[in-house]
Amino acid sequence: MFAGTQRRIVSIWFPRLASDRALRACPVDGPFALVQRLGNAETLFCLNAEAEGVGLHRGMRMADARSFCPGLVSRPARPDLDARFLAGLRRWAERYCPWVGLEGTDGLVLDVTGAAHLWGGEGAMCADIRARLERAGITAQLGRGASRGAAWALAHFGDPSAEAPEPDLLALPVAALRLAPDTVTGLQRLGLRRIGDLAASPRAPLARRFGPELLARLDQALGQSPEPVTPATEPPQFATRMTLPEPIGLESDVMAGLTRLLDPLCARLAAHQAGARRLCLTLRRVDQASQQVELRLAAPMRDPARILPLFARGLAGVDAGFGIDQLRLEATQVEPLAPAQLGATPVASPDRLTDLLTRLGTRIGLENIYRFLPAESHIPERGFLIAPAAFSTAQGGFHAPRPRPLRLFPPEPIMASGPTPPARFRWRAMPLTTARATGPERITPEWWLEDENWRHGLRDYWRVDTAEGRRLWLFFTPQNPSWFVQGEFA
């Protein structure tokens, strides 16, 4: 990176990252552990220092841990929150150098070449890192060396004191080379317990027995093979801001400012082939108070002309106070959106339905607008699914081998006897006369599902046209002779 400058790497290992994250959110006095389920048993995932002090360790069964330490406080492990916490630590570590990458799921690696002198040297910089993490309640061990492998080895197996001189890498155990446990065991059986023993051994027999990864790790630790530090890329931020020279208070002025914000925001979305699913407009008043107008879209969009009028309802309830001097528009939820082919928009464009769903969603909520989707089942009440229209895709495929009623409702009993439809019956206080009956269509229950409504077994369905004009869907249960009405045709 810098000509004539020796490369220097700092590795930060967080041995209790998960438990430190959980205890920062909700402190606990005494032994504490995070628990995860592996198979049918709960095991310890991460422990604090007090839990390790009483003899508990990672991978221990929860039942055994309770017998050793009855006062153990436990919570479920959350690897997703741990990853988010580590990403936050990575961003914080950029205060020391710009090249900061992740090291597995519990560490960071910093390329401090040419940056340590800004902190008074590597020792002072590492001391500052350790002090700040300690004040934050985060346990960390640091290692520094001329290569990434050496820094990792010293962080995990070296002297944890930041003021101690840099130890000899060759004196560390072979496990410091980031090898698989089986490889470490095999080397120890051959008497190769230290990195120095491994470096002094012939390379060809080691490569034949353990593969090329062993020698690659050795060369990386000794600095003979390059291992770059790749900083994690920040996700793109889709936000624009406008500071006004004079406060505004009219809704038309806000819409005009919003128009100027939407154009660059949608252009940035188009450059990343994405669309906004949720937008947040922040209006800052001259008294430093802020109001937010959130717009939830029924589908990803990046067309300013379509998005602008959808903000009108939300802006109608804004209190401008003594004036608004800043507008900030941010796409808080973004989804992929492929480029659309240029050309005339057809009359039956799906965008018109999407805009309608968005307008209705701003009034009653997008989660309250539903659509029917087909389902693979011959049971009438299971032949469809009800899903939120904004979070599902319209599908065809509604097919029934026999006609199905337009209206379907829970079975309603009627007074009748015999396996054929009655000539006269009473339904919903209406006397009806059977003019024509078509059937039966026998439907058997799905035995692999528990359904209280189908416990009677088989059903024989009939289409009954009545003299009064009603076209009903009746069924008869042979096991427990009874008649029911379940639907009505158009």
Side-chain angles (χ1 to χ4, degrees):
M1 183 184 300
F2 300 94
T5 303
Q6 184 182 10
R7 191 183 186 208
R8 299 298 295 175
I9 305 295
V10 173
S11 178
I12 308 177
W13 177 39
F14 305 102
R16 302 188 185 97
L17 177 71
S19 60
D20 290 342
R21 188 267 311 164
L23 291 176
R24 277 171 54 87
C26 185
V28 172
D29 294 330
F32 172 80
L34 294 176
V35 181
Q36 68 174 352
R37 178 171 291 276
L38 296 177
N40 295 326
E42 290 186 340
T43 59
L44 301 185
F45 176 73
C46 189
L47 306 85
N48 63 352
E50 290 80 359
E52 292 180 350
V54 298
L56 306 183
H57 58 84
R58 288 195 178 196
M60 191 176 187
R61 293 172 62 93
M62 187 61 181
D64 299 335
R66 289 292 187 190
S67 62
F68 277 95
C69 183
L72 177 65
V73 179
S74 64
R75 297 178 195 160
R78 291 290 304 274
D80 56 334
L81 298 182
D82 299 338
R84 187 183 306 176
F85 185 60
L86 183 62
L89 290 174
R90 187 200 63 80
R91 290 191 295 270
W92 166 82
E94 289 180 348
R95 71 193 311 270
Y96 298 99
C97 68
W99 291 82
V100 183
L102 300 178
E103 191 72 81
T105 59
D106 57 357
L108 300 175
V109 56
L110 292 73
D111 191 338
V112 298
T113 306
H117 70 281
L118 301 175
W119 301 87
E122 290 183 8
M125 184 182 65
C126 292
D128 184 74
I129 295 175
R130 187 186 303 275
R132 291 178 182 272
L133 292 174
E134 185 177 354
R135 286 197 299 268
I138 302 174
T139 305
Q141 295 184 18
L142 278 68
R144 46 195 169 103
S147 65
R148 182 173 180 175
W152 187 94
L154 296 175
H156 288 73
F157 296 91
D159 191 339
S161 175
E163 291 75 19
E166 188 173 320
D168 184 13
L169 181 64
L170 299 179
L172 298 180
V174 292
L177 294 178
R178 298 173 291 175
L179 300 174
D182 296 340
T183 304
V184 174
T185 303
L187 292 173
Q188 291 175 349
R189 289 175 178 173
L190 295 177
L192 303 177
R193 301 183 179 275
R194 303 292 176 182
I195 297 179
D197 302 334
L198 186 62
S201 302
R203 297 172 64 91
L206 293 176
R208 285 195 300 267
R209 181 160 184 172
F210 298 100
E213 182 180 1
L214 172 61
L215 299 180
R217 288 300 190 186
L218 178 61
D219 294 339
Q220 289 173 353
L222 298 179
Q224 300 173 1
S225 178
E227 187 178 8
V229 176
T230 304
T233 58
E234 293 288 345
Q237 297 293 325
F238 301 99
T240 55
R241 182 178 61 183
M242 176 190 297
T243 302
L244 305 172
E246 294 291 338
I248 60 175
L250 298 178
E251 182 179 345
S252 58
D253 295 337
V254 177
M255 291 292 286
L258 181 59
T259 303
R260 298 182 61 181
L261 293 178
L262 275 172
D263 292 335
L265 178 64
C266 293
R268 184 171 176 82
L269 289 170
H272 288 80
Q273 296 189 9
R277 191 66 186 267
R278 182 177 299 179
L279 293 166
C280 181
L281 176 64
T282 303
L283 307 173
R284 191 187 70 180
R285 305 189 311 194
V286 295
D287 58 357
Q288 302 302 313
S290 298
Q291 295 191 31
Q292 292 185 343
V293 178
E294 186 180 60
L295 177 64
R296 299 174 61 191
L297 302 174
M301 295 185 191
R302 58 167 179 255
D303 186 0
R306 293 175 55 199
I307 297 176
L308 181 62
L310 302 177
F311 270 101
R313 178 176 176 81
L315 293 176
V318 171
D319 181 12
F322 293 100
I324 297 171
D325 61 356
Q326 186 183 92
L327 287 77
R328 185 177 187 273
L329 181 63
E330 180 182 6
T332 56
Q333 182 178 350
V334 177
E335 295 181 1
L337 181 61
Q341 184 175 0
L342 297 178
T345 303
V347 177
S349 172
D351 295 341
R352 309 176 78 180
L353 176 60
T354 301
D355 294 347
L356 175 61
L357 292 177
T358 301
R359 293 179 183 275
L360 295 177
T362 57
R363 297 174 178 267
I364 63 176
L366 289 175
E367 63 277 359
N368 296 321
I369 306 174
Y370 300 98
R371 65 158 46 102
F372 291 97
L373 301 177
E376 292 291 339
S377 178
H378 61 273
I379 303 297
E381 48 267 51
R382 290 183 184 161
F384 60 90
L385 299 175
I386 300 179
F391 308 105
S392 60
T393 304
Q395 301 178 11
F398 282 99
H399 172 73
R402 304 287 182 86
R404 291 291 182 261
L406 181 64
R407 295 177 55 214
L408 197 68
F409 41 80
E412 300 177 0
I414 59 175
M415 298 296 297
S417 60
T420 58
R424 295 181 178 81
F425 59 96
R426 193 175 187 85
W427 174 65
R428 294 184 178 179
M430 295 183 294
L432 301 174
T433 303
T434 300
R436 183 178 62 179
T438 306
E441 176 189 354
R442 174 160 291 186
I443 298 179
T444 60
E446 296 174 342
W447 54 267
W448 57 91
L449 297 176
E450 290 290 337
D451 192 340
E452 187 68 26
N453 296 326
W454 282 78
R455 289 190 177 276
H456 296 295
L458 301 175
R459 292 184 181 180
D460 291 336
Y461 280 88
W462 295 77
R463 286 182 293 151
V464 174
D465 298 339
T466 63
E468 291 76 12
R470 297 278 185 173
R471 303 180 64 225
L472 303 178
W473 208 35
L474 282 67
F475 70 84
F476 174 72
T477 55
Q479 292 81 3
N480 184 17
S482 302
W483 280 93
F484 298 87
V485 181
Q486 193 179 3
E488 186 173 7
F489 292 89

